[in-house]
Amino acid sequence: MESAVNKAITLTHGVNVEATANKLWSKDFSLLVGGQFISIFGNMILSFALPLYLLYISGSAALFGLVMGLTNIPLLLMSPIGGMIADRFRKQRVMFWLDVSTTVLIIGYIVASGLTAAIIPIIIVKLMALNAIQGVYMPAVSSSVPVLVSEGKLVPANSAVNLVNSLSGMGGMAIAGVLFARFGLFPILVVSAICFSVTAVMDLFIRVPFKQQDNSGSIFKIAKADLSLSASFMKRQPIILKCIVVLFTLTATLGSIIMIGVPVLITQYLEMGVEFVGISQSIMLAGGVLGGITTGLLGNKLKASNIYMLIIISGLALLPIGLTFFINIPYLATYIIMTSACLVALAAVTAIQIRIISLIQGETPTEITGKVMSLVVMLPFLANALGQLAYGVAFEQLAALPYVIMFATAGMVAMIAIFTRRSFNSL
């Protein structure tokens, strides 16, 4: 007999998939989005506070970048596995157990950090475990969207998911910055654990249409077959490979410099407190909100062939940041300009990501969406790991020349725009 939990998260047979997909804000899609809002909030305050705490106690930009990069490795390793799990098991069940596991891990971190003085290894282990869970979690969520909405509603659906993620992340960073500055790490851990436990309860009520696949054979045989199937499909779809190249390179450059550069510049160059990092990054995430709203309103009117223009805008946003450090203007003005420029960059990047992901989802059969999306998610995170390592070292070695890093990155983004224009010109 199934347990009460398994009964609650077992898909009801006879679901009218077509009726559910034709309605954007169905009960299940609303629960998915609502759970994402709470989960991202809990994840963001924790992912924001732990690396900043590491930077605070070590004072090393290189160590900060190294840890940020290395802790992405579990996400990279687990993402393909997460894709296979998302396609072969009920997605709502996967999400439930992952949220429960995250709650348990946070509680375990609280206990472990109180028993040892070796806090840096504990932080690294915690970040690696959190990212490993996210590597399995994200394919389950991203592959749920195409089966809960129709293909014509993919862009607004992904825009809605991105919008709530941005709003949640924006609030999470601002609150985490204030809590961390005034009360330390403990209240952030408590709030994060509560968020994931609430999300786990919401997962019990989501119903995602599910098609049973053949699970006969060893786990290694299944894994090999699944990876071979998704890789073979992607090879036959040049447009998907081009989409991945754009996401990979843009994440390695623009995404990484914002993730590493902004905290380092604010705390070490401008000598401001960590609460200013939280305020800055929450304001920057407003760019994600703006990009998500705009993309949702435009829908399919935002053509893939015009993506290169958004990439140009995101690259140009780095120039005023470099100029402020080159001409050495007052700290407060530098802070405002940097925050505003990154807001513009993230608005453009958000629109790019939504449009590209919607394009990939529309080109991928439902039964392999999880596996394909896991690779789509994994490669940009690999780019993030490499980019964060590189930028951590760059800001350490070029401590007196931060504008050189900004100008060089703007040039690399311009080259990505040229590639994108040539690749998507016919779409």
Side-chain angles (χ1 to χ4, degrees), residues 159-170:
S159 298
V161 172
N162 185 273
L163 175 61
V164 298
N165 289 353
S166 298
L167 286 171
S168 182
M170 183 170 58

Side-chain angles (χ1 to χ4, degrees), residues 37 40-42 44-46 48 163-179 191 278-279 281-286 289:
F37 182 88
I40 291 295
F41 181 86
M44 188 61 69
I45 61 173
L46 194 59
F48 172 83
L163 175 61
V164 298
N165 289 353
S166 298
L167 286 171
S168 182
M170 183 170 58
M173 284 186 174
I175 292 173
V178 173
L179 287 177
V191 172
I279 294 170
Q281 293 200 344
S282 63
I283 292 173
M284 290 188 305
L285 280 179
V289 175

Side-chain angles (χ1 to χ4, degrees), residues 114-369:
L115 297 176
T116 178
I119 198 65
I120 290 180
I122 295 296
I123 292 174
I124 295 173
V125 170
K126 171 57 189 169
L127 286 171
M128 294 181 77
L130 187 65
N131 283 348
I133 291 175
Q134 285 298 306
V136 180
Y137 194 89
M138 286 186 296
V141 174
S142 59
S143 61
S144 295
V145 175
V147 295
L148 291 177
V149 302
S150 64
E151 184 175 347
K153 295 184 183 296
L154 275 177
V155 173
N158 283 310
S159 298
V161 172
N162 185 273
L163 175 61
V164 298
N165 289 353
S166 298
L167 286 171
S168 182
M170 183 170 58
M173 284 186 174
I175 292 173
V178 173
L179 287 177
F180 182 75
R182 294 189 178 184
F183 305 107
L185 195 59
F186 181 75
I188 293 175
L189 295 168
V190 173
V191 172
S192 183
I194 293 172
C195 288
F196 282 108
S197 61
V198 170
T199 306
V201 174
M202 295 179 68
D203 291 336
L204 296 173
F205 300 96
I206 301 175
R207 300 291 180 265
V208 181
F210 173 68
K211 181 179 179 181
Q212 184 68 49
Q213 298 188 30
D214 181 17
N215 291 323
S216 59
S218 68
I219 187 171
F220 298 104
K221 182 179 179 180
I222 293 173
K224 181 180 178 180
D226 281 354
L227 288 175
S228 176
L229 177 62
S230 56
S232 176
F233 169 77
M234 293 172 70
K235 286 180 181 179
R236 299 194 304 270
Q237 299 289 331
I239 187 60
I240 293 182
L241 295 178
K242 292 175 182 178
C243 287
I244 291 174
V245 169
V246 173
L247 289 176
F248 184 93
T249 53
L250 199 59
T251 302
T253 53
L254 188 66
S256 296
I257 198 173
I258 291 176
M259 287 290 294
I260 295 297
V262 171
V264 171
L265 291 174
I266 291 175
T267 58
Q268 297 190 359
Y269 287 78
L270 304 183
E271 298 181 342
M272 293 180 168
V274 293
E275 65 269 25
F276 287 95
V277 179
I279 294 170
S280 177
Q281 293 200 344
S282 63
I283 292 173
M284 290 188 305
L285 280 179
V289 175
L290 178 62
I293 292 174
T294 302
T295 309
L297 292 175
L298 291 175
N300 291 326
K301 293 179 182 177
L302 178 59
K303 303 296 184 183
S305 57
N306 294 329
I307 287 177
Y308 79 94
M309 298 175 64
L310 295 173
I311 297 177
I312 291 174
I313 292 172
S314 66
L316 289 175
L318 296 178
L319 298 181
I321 301 176
L323 286 173
T324 58
F325 285 96
F326 181 72
I327 62 180
N328 196 26
I329 69 173
Y331 285 178
L332 181 59
T334 299
Y335 177 82
I336 294 172
I337 292 172
M338 179 168 57
T339 301
S340 302
C342 288
L343 182 150
V344 173
L346 286 180
V349 169
T350 299
I352 294 165
Q353 291 174 338
I354 292 172
R355 190 65 191 88
I356 287 180
I357 289 174
S358 298
L359 179 61
I360 294 172
Q361 288 174 336
E363 296 289 331
T364 306
T366 302
E367 59 271 17
I368 62 170
T369 300

Side-chain angles (χ1 to χ4, degrees), residues 97-115:
W97 288 114
L98 291 174
D99 284 323
V100 170
S101 299
T102 306
T103 306
V104 172
L105 277 172
I106 295 171
I107 295 173
Y109 173 84
I110 294 174
V111 174
S113 60
L115 297 176

